[in-house]
Amino acid sequence: MPKTEGTDKLHLFEGHEIRSVWVEDEEEWYFSIVDVIAVLTESKNPQTYWRVLKKRLIEEGNQTVTNCNGLKMRAADGKMRLTDAGTTEQILRLIQSVPSPKAEPFKLWLAQVGKERIEEVFDPELAIERAIEYYRRKGYTEDWISQRLFSIKVRKTLTHEWRERGVKSNPEYAILTNDIYQAWSDMTAREYKTHKGLSKESLRDNMSDLELALSTLAEATTAELERATDPENLSEHRDVAKSGGEVAGVARKVAERKLGRPIITSQTAPDFGRLLAEVIETQALEESAEQEGRP
């Protein structure tokens, strides 16, 4: 079953591209096995090499390497395609099965790739500082950044409650997340992204202040309900997720009646950036006019 959440990224090893995906809920990098094989073996057909090697490893009973995950990564044609991917541990085991003079340098490279994440585990403040700097570079306001960081905290709290009660796999996380979104926004996460014209971009990074606030309210309520009801199976977890989402759904409908417009917008981060620029420009013109004595 393919995983459903993650941020794809290209890493370079000695000039070779290694596709990877950061899976947030697992806090784990997954690397394209075919790309790793291509680097280690310099094979002209790494896909075939991996198929043969995988068959041999299965016959040898090496489940650690062969029990890899299918993740969507960007192919040469630009399309997202399912690709065998492994964690750092699986890749290290794979290296042991592939004779290559590049094995040791590749191990050091893997350690460097994971260095920032390891640092953040021992010093979470580093992760916060990097996130703040990332959003600032993107042009988000300080208020939005504070709200986004709080939403991340709430999400981590919720996933912790799920894990504590037996929710382990990404497909289950996706089902529950969709239940929450459906209950408060009347759309699944995928439908919401389509509404905004997004593909691989983060949905929450493209939410307005109100959208983000409602999404956070839905997940915070779900986390509290998880603790209060202590669900025991996926069906019960889904009921809780829907209930948590419904609380934010009620708030959305009340706000829409008061405002006289939809809360859910098709606008994305670039639109919010343009709106911010327009506000700043308007303020500058008004201040200039005041200084010059114009109305």
Coordinates of all heavy atoms in Angstrom, one line a residue, residues 21 74 90 132 134 165 212 225 290 294:
V21 N 11.6 11.3 -0.4 CA 10.4 11.8 0.1 C 10.5 11.8 1.7 O 10.9 10.8 2.3 CB 9.2 10.9 -0.3 CG1 7.9 11.4 0.4 CG2 8.9 11.0 -1.8
R74 N 8.8 12.0 -8.6 CA 8.8 12.6 -10.0 C 9.7 11.9 -10.9 O 10.9 11.7 -10.7 CB 9.1 14.1 -9.9 CG 8.8 14.9 -11.1 CD 8.9 16.4 -10.9 NE 8.1 16.8 -9.8 CZ 6.7 17.0 -9.9 NH1 6.1 16.8 -11.1 NH2 6.0 17.4 -8.9
Q90 N 17.0 0.7 5.6 CA 16.9 -0.2 4.4 C 17.9 0.0 3.4 O 18.5 -0.9 2.8 CB 15.5 -0.1 3.8 CG 14.4 -0.7 4.7 CD 13.0 -0.4 4.1 OE1 12.7 0.7 3.7 NE2 12.1 -1.4 4.1
I132 N 10.4 28.8 10.6 CA 10.1 30.2 10.6 C 10.8 30.9 9.4 O 10.3 31.7 8.7 CB 10.5 30.9 11.9 CG1 9.5 30.4 13.0 CG2 10.5 32.4 11.8 CD1 10.0 30.8 14.4
Y134 N 12.0 29.5 6.7 CA 11.4 29.0 5.4 C 10.1 29.8 5.0 O 10.0 30.3 3.9 CB 11.0 27.5 5.6 CG 10.2 27.0 4.4 CD1 10.7 26.6 3.2 CD2 8.8 26.9 4.6 CE1 9.9 26.2 2.2 CE2 8.0 26.4 3.6 CZ 8.6 26.0 2.4 OH 7.8 25.6 1.3
R165 N -3.2 4.8 20.2 CA -4.5 3.9 20.2 C -4.5 3.0 18.9 O -5.6 2.7 18.5 CB -5.7 4.8 20.2 CG -5.8 5.5 21.6 CD -6.8 6.6 21.6 NE -6.9 7.2 23.0 CZ -6.0 8.1 23.4 NH1 -5.0 8.5 22.6 NH2 -6.1 8.6 24.6
L212 N -7.0 28.0 7.9 CA -6.0 27.3 8.7 C -6.5 27.2 10.2 O -6.3 26.2 10.8 CB -4.7 28.1 8.7 CG -3.4 27.4 9.3 CD1 -3.2 26.1 8.7 CD2 -2.2 28.3 9.2
L225 N -11.1 14.6 21.7 CA -12.1 13.5 21.7 C -11.5 12.1 21.7 O -12.0 11.2 22.3 CB -13.0 13.6 20.4 CG -14.0 14.8 20.4 CD1 -14.7 14.9 19.0 CD2 -15.1 14.6 21.5
E290 N -0.4 61.5 3.4 CA -0.6 62.2 4.7 C 0.6 63.2 4.9 O 0.4 64.3 5.3 CB -0.6 61.2 5.8 CG -2.0 60.4 5.9 CD -1.9 59.4 7.0 OE1 -0.9 59.3 7.7 OE2 -2.9 58.7 7.1
R294 N -2.1 65.5 1.4 CA -3.2 65.2 0.5 C -4.2 64.3 1.2 O -3.8 63.6 2.2 CB -2.7 64.4 -0.7 CG -1.9 65.3 -1.6 CD -1.5 64.6 -2.9 NE -0.3 63.8 -2.7 CZ -0.2 62.5 -2.8 NH1 -1.3 61.8 -3.0 NH2 0.9 61.8 -2.6

